Amino acid sequence: MKGKATSFDIAHLTGVSQSTVSRALRDSPLVSEETRRRIREAAEQLNYKVDKNASNLRSQHSGTLALLLFEDPTADDSHINPFFLSMLGSITRACALRGYDLLISFQQLSYDWHADYADTKKADGIILLGYGDYLAYLDKLQKLVAQGTRSIRWGAVLPDQPDVSIGCDNYQGGQAIATHLLEQGCRRIAFLGDASSHYPEFFERYRGYAATLQQAGITMDPALQVDAAESTEQAGYNALETLLERAEPFDAVFAASDLIAIGAMRALADHNIKVPEQVAVAGFDDIPMARFLNPPLTTVLQDTKLAGETLVDNLLCLIRNEPVETHLLPVKLVVRRSSQFSQPADHV
Amino acid sequence: MKGKATSFDIAHLTGVSQSTVSRALRDSPLVSEETRRRIREAAEQLNYKVDKNASNLRSQHSGTLALLLFEDPTADDSHINPFFLSMLGSITRACALRGYDLLISFQQLSYDWHADYADTKKADGIILLGYGDYLAYLDKLQKLVAQGTRSIRWGAVLPDQPDVSIGCDNYQGGQAIATHLLEQGCRRIAFLGDASSHYPEFFERYRGYAATLQQAGITMDPALQVDAAESTEQAGYNALETLLERAEPFDAVFAASDLIAIGAMRALADHNIKVPEQVAVAGFDDIPMARFLNPPLTTVLQDTKLAGETLVDNLLCLIRNEPVETHLLPVKLVVRRSSQFSQPADHV
């Protein structure tokens, strides 16, 4: 074995968790006498030295990170948004690999949730994740930071934000989709999704798209932007219906999320409008089902594995009082058949 | 307002969480003086009486349920199985609606995980969820139950099991798929999935399928069962390759999970074998992408929303010392195009 033995080595040797080793070496009554004996023997065998400072420090820790999900748990639709579910899975895994449990708490934006984490030792730090109106919870975020709770937020980088945030480069993603659709020959590209500072991630996607169209000399037509504040299939379906009612021509749809795109594709099919032959469609997220759609959906990949790891690692830095900076993760354009109408269709 | 006011009513009125109300009424220093004052005023206004017994009882509680996930977090494939992810979402939501946080802990089967929950007050009770060799962790389950930890397991009902379990009726699901495939005229129905007592859920699906074929007078051919102990696309792809190498004719594939079915369909496509025209395919779970596959996948729906709610509600019964019984939830056959080869194909 290289280097000094750690409590993880003892855990590995004795087949118990690292937290059980810590507890046993502190002679905690929560560990059975026999297990304590086995762990002491293994520690001796590995020539393990208890670092008193580290041990004291560790015993103040909960070994737990918290994840606050902002979403309405009473919503009719019983399924969590697949992008969040994927983030949930990736954060859970990243915690597991770093020896932490994850405490998940659904919170209503209107509640006084920050108070639950002030000095309760429930968790060493908090990750905040969720859609929802950012401006509606900004004051609570400020209180959370002011009370010294270590936290990191998934989302857009904003002027004067009180906290550290990590997000994906939504602006770049919006640019990439718009550039791709222009290359396909589209000129009347509708945007389905809220485009206001209440929903900063959608707004950044919109801004990247709008800047790209303007650079290409296209005048923005407000009739081609339809709100869809919720990221659901139904919101996408309704937004597309609204777009059709406006009776303005369009040759492409950029949906602010894949779920919105799926709903829009369903509405297009109901009106016998062919994708991609008559209208190109693109989404955002690359949720697992995007590649299985018919036609498969062009979208922007947010790397949820990297995102989960980055959130957890940066929060652990904050907990160790190491410097952490707000930053954006790169995104990747994923071109599939839903947007390629310059290509011959399969059945021709 | 009907009936006696509760701490939830105070929470609603003051815009804080119920746990903050509880804390404030116990004069906890964790709640700011101003918030305590607001809560006391609301309590007075609502004529709220503190139930001393309930309050004492509640303060012994963590307000948290734990979810132990058995899956290898170091696996190369970084994505959690979509069925588990869906269960994770549904359990999280069910906890939220009942005012509980959820503590998620990934555990390796080989670790001494039960010790982490003995008297630590981390959680009021535990839900166990995961694939993995049941026989490999049975002894730890026995210790968990013996030490008095309230727990409930998602999975098959087994002879002499030490704990309470809730699962879906995998046997009935296997019967439903086999009956449907027989009705489609299939006679050589392969089974892709482990069929041993190490993986009781897959085994039950196999047993329901085998009993149905035997009742129909079909002699079981061992060459038509291929192991796929992991529930992954790759395992399904490999299992189908193995089946083809055996050079035994087959007219249908029943995959023990949708992921295995997706891999098998990919392998069939690579061999230019048409689904459903040449081989009917069915899976199990009804993961979100099943309906988007090409062709859409016939499968058995496990209602993860109901499952999550039932697990949480039964665990809360155990915590309140109310009787709880091991039982199975019904499943539902979902027929889609992948198995309907008696029907004319779309392009004919």
Side-chain angles (χ1 to χ4, degrees):
Chain A
M1 185 180 298
K2 280 195 237 161
K4 269 203 310 196
T6 69
S7 55
F8 286 97
D9 300 322
I10 301 174
H12 186 74
L13 192 67
T14 52
V16 303
S17 70
Q18 189 267 338
S19 60
T20 301
V21 170
S22 290
R23 248 184 250 132
L25 294 176
R26 282 186 275 118
D27 260 334
S28 158
L30 300 180
V31 183
S32 74
E33 184 46 48
E34 200 232 307
T35 305
R36 272 186 276 170
R37 188 188 48 73
R38 278 202 299 129
I39 289 169
R40 277 194 306 267
E41 283 173 10
E44 223 164 296
Q45 187 187 331
L46 293 169
N47 199 25
Y48 175 81
K49 306 274 182 245
V50 178
D51 178 337
K52 286 290 177 195
N53 277 332
S55 170
N56 286 338
L57 197 65
R58 203 172 296 124
S59 59
Q60 292 167 11
H61 286 185
S62 62
T64 302
L65 303 182
L67 174 63
L68 260 61
L69 279 174
F70 294 112
E71 215 199 355
D72 182 2
T74 60
D76 265 356
D77 174 20
S78 64
H79 296 292
I80 296 180
N81 175 304
F83 173 73
F84 283 125
L85 208 47
S86 180
M87 288 290 284
L88 184 57
S90 136
I91 292 169
T92 305
R93 258 186 205 275
C95 285
L97 286 168
R98 287 152 185 80
Y100 278 78
D101 288 340
L102 182 68
L103 181 71
I104 301 183
S105 188
F106 255 108
Q107 298 285 341
Q108 312 252 8
L109 285 177
S110 58
Y111 274 16
D112 219 9
W113 41 266
H114 64 278
D116 275 2
Y117 293 87
D119 310 310
T120 60
K121 306 259 191 287
K122 264 184 175 177
D124 301 343
I126 304 182
I127 296 168
L128 300 140
L129 177 67
Y131 284 128
D133 187 337
Y134 173 74
L135 298 178
Y137 72 91
L138 183 57
D139 63 319
K140 282 161 197 163
L141 200 56
Q142 277 161 343
K143 284 183 200 157
L144 189 76
V145 173
Q147 79 197 11
T149 305
R150 266 64 170 241
S151 72
I152 205 152
R153 179 172 51 88
W154 174 258
V157 175
L158 298 157
D160 307 321
Q161 65 181 44
D163 59 338
V164 174
S165 75
I166 289 171
C168 88
D169 196 335
N170 291 294
Y171 187 91
Q172 183 206 333
Q175 283 181 309
I177 289 285
T179 303
H180 165 71
L181 291 172
L182 288 171
E183 282 167 6
Q184 301 298 307
C186 304
R187 287 295 173 270
R188 302 272 308 162
I189 305 172
F191 182 87
L192 306 187
D194 205 279
S196 79
S197 53
H198 292 268
Y199 300 90
E201 293 181 87
F202 284 10
F203 197 28
E204 285 296 297
R205 294 169 199 179
Y206 175 81
R207 288 183 52 241
Y209 140 92
T212 306
L213 296 196
Q214 283 162 345
Q215 275 159 26
I218 293 174
T219 310
M220 298 301 290
D221 179 351
L224 293 184
Q225 186 271 321
V226 184
D227 280 355
E230 275 199 304
S231 182
T232 63
E233 283 187 46
Q234 194 55 49
Y237 190 96
N238 297 345
L240 202 285
E241 290 285 346
T242 303
L243 181 63
L244 288 173
E245 281 161 19
R246 291 184 187 167
E248 293 286 338
F250 61 96
D251 51 21
V253 167
F254 171 26
S257 77
D258 287 349
L259 285 181
I260 293 173
I262 291 172
M265 277 168 68
R266 198 154 47 79
L268 288 166
D270 285 355
H271 287 274
N272 290 314
I273 299 171
K274 286 202 181 353
V275 176
E277 293 81 355
Q278 293 169 273
V279 170
V281 175
F284 207 104
D285 290 339
D286 200 18
I287 59 176
M289 63 189 72
R291 68 182 170 110
F292 293 112
L293 296 173
N294 190 16
L297 183 65
T298 291
T299 187
V300 171
L301 170 70
Q302 300 202 64
D303 183 341
T304 53
K305 178 167 187 275
L306 176 67
E309 287 168 355
T310 307
L311 285 168
V312 170
D313 285 337
N314 279 272
L315 181 55
L316 293 176
C317 283
L318 279 178
I319 290 167
R320 290 190 303 260
N321 293 315
E322 291 168 16
V324 163
E325 277 180 20
T326 285
H327 65 282
L328 293 178
L329 303 175
V331 294
K332 201 180 137 208
L333 178 69
V334 181
V335 175
R336 299 198 182 100
R337 201 151 49 78
S338 71
S339 65
Q340 296 188 287
F341 67 172
S342 57
Q343 213 177 270
D346 287 359
H347 62 267
V348 176
Chain B
M1 185 182 297
K2 281 194 239 165
K4 269 204 310 196
T6 69
S7 56
F8 286 97
D9 299 322
I10 300 174
H12 186 72
L13 192 66
T14 52
V16 304
S17 69
Q18 189 269 337
S19 60
T20 300
V21 171
S22 289
R23 247 183 252 130
L25 295 176
R26 282 185 277 115
D27 258 332
S28 158
L30 299 180
V31 182
S32 75
E33 184 45 48
E34 200 232 307
T35 305
R36 272 186 276 169
R37 188 188 48 72
R38 278 203 299 130
I39 289 169
R40 277 195 307 266
E41 283 175 10
E44 223 163 296
Q45 186 187 332
L46 293 170
N47 198 22
Y48 174 80
K49 306 271 181 246
V50 178
D51 178 339
K52 286 290 176 194
N53 278 334
S55 170
N56 285 338
L57 197 66
R58 205 172 296 124
S59 60
Q60 289 165 14
H61 284 185
S62 62
T64 302
L65 303 182
L67 173 64
L68 261 60
L69 279 174
F70 294 113
E71 216 201 356
D72 182 1
T74 60
D76 266 356
D77 174 19
S78 64
H79 296 292
I80 296 181
N81 175 304
F83 173 74
F84 282 125
L85 210 46
S86 181
M87 288 290 284
L88 184 57
S90 134
I91 292 169
T92 305
R93 257 186 204 275
C95 286
L97 286 169
R98 287 151 186 81
Y100 278 79
D101 287 339
L102 182 68
L103 181 70
I104 301 183
S105 189
F106 254 108
Q107 297 286 342
Q108 311 253 9
L109 286 177
S110 58
Y111 274 16
D112 219 8
W113 41 266
H114 64 279
D116 275 3
Y117 293 88
D119 310 311
T120 61
K121 305 257 191 288
K122 266 184 174 176
D124 301 342
I126 304 182
I127 296 168
L128 299 140
L129 176 68
Y131 284 127
D133 186 335
Y134 174 74
L135 297 178
Y137 72 90
L138 183 56
D139 62 320
K140 283 161 197 161
L141 200 55
Q142 278 159 344
K143 284 183 200 161
L144 189 76
V145 174
Q147 77 197 12
T149 305
R150 266 62 171 243
S151 72
I152 204 150
R153 180 172 50 87
W154 173 257
V157 175
L158 298 156
D160 306 321
Q161 65 181 43
D163 58 339
V164 174
S165 74
I166 289 170
C168 87
D169 195 335
N170 291 294
Y171 186 91
Q172 183 207 334
Q175 283 181 310
I177 290 284
T179 302
H180 165 71
L181 291 171
L182 289 170
E183 283 167 6
Q184 300 298 307
C186 303
R187 287 297 173 269
R188 304 272 305 162
I189 304 172
F191 182 87
L192 306 188
D194 206 279
S196 80
S197 53
H198 292 269
Y199 301 90
E201 293 181 87
F202 283 9
F203 197 28
E204 285 296 297
R205 294 168 199 180
Y206 175 81
R207 288 183 51 241
Y209 140 91
T212 306
L213 296 196
Q214 283 162 347
Q215 276 159 24
I218 293 174
T219 310
M220 299 300 291
D221 180 351
L224 293 184
Q225 186 272 320
V226 185
D227 281 354
E230 276 199 305
S231 182
T232 62
E233 282 188 48
Q234 195 54 50
Y237 191 96
N238 297 344
L240 201 283
E241 290 284 343
T242 304
L243 181 63
L244 288 173
E245 281 160 20
R246 290 183 187 165
E248 294 284 340
F250 60 96
D251 51 21
V253 167
F254 172 25
S257 77
D258 287 348
L259 284 182
I260 293 173
I262 291 172
M265 277 167 68
R266 199 153 47 80
L268 288 166
D270 285 354
H271 286 273
N272 290 313
I273 299 170
K274 286 201 181 351
V275 177
E277 293 81 356
Q278 292 170 275
V279 170
V281 175
F284 206 104
D285 289 339
D286 200 19
I287 60 176
M289 62 189 73
R291 71 182 168 112
F292 293 112
L293 297 173
N294 189 15
L297 183 65
T298 292
T299 187
V300 171
L301 170 69
Q302 301 201 64
D303 183 342
T304 52
K305 178 165 186 277
L306 177 66
E309 288 167 355
T310 308
L311 285 168
V312 170
D313 285 337
N314 279 272
L315 182 55
L316 292 176
C317 283
L318 278 177
I319 290 167
R320 291 190 303 259
N321 293 316
E322 291 168 16
V324 164
E325 277 181 20
T326 283
H327 66 280
L328 293 179
L329 303 175
V331 293
K332 200 180 138 209
L333 178 69
V334 180
V335 175
R336 299 198 182 99
R337 200 150 50 79
S338 71
S339 65
Q340 296 188 285
F341 66 173
S342 58
Q343 213 178 275
D346 287 357
H347 60 268
V348 177

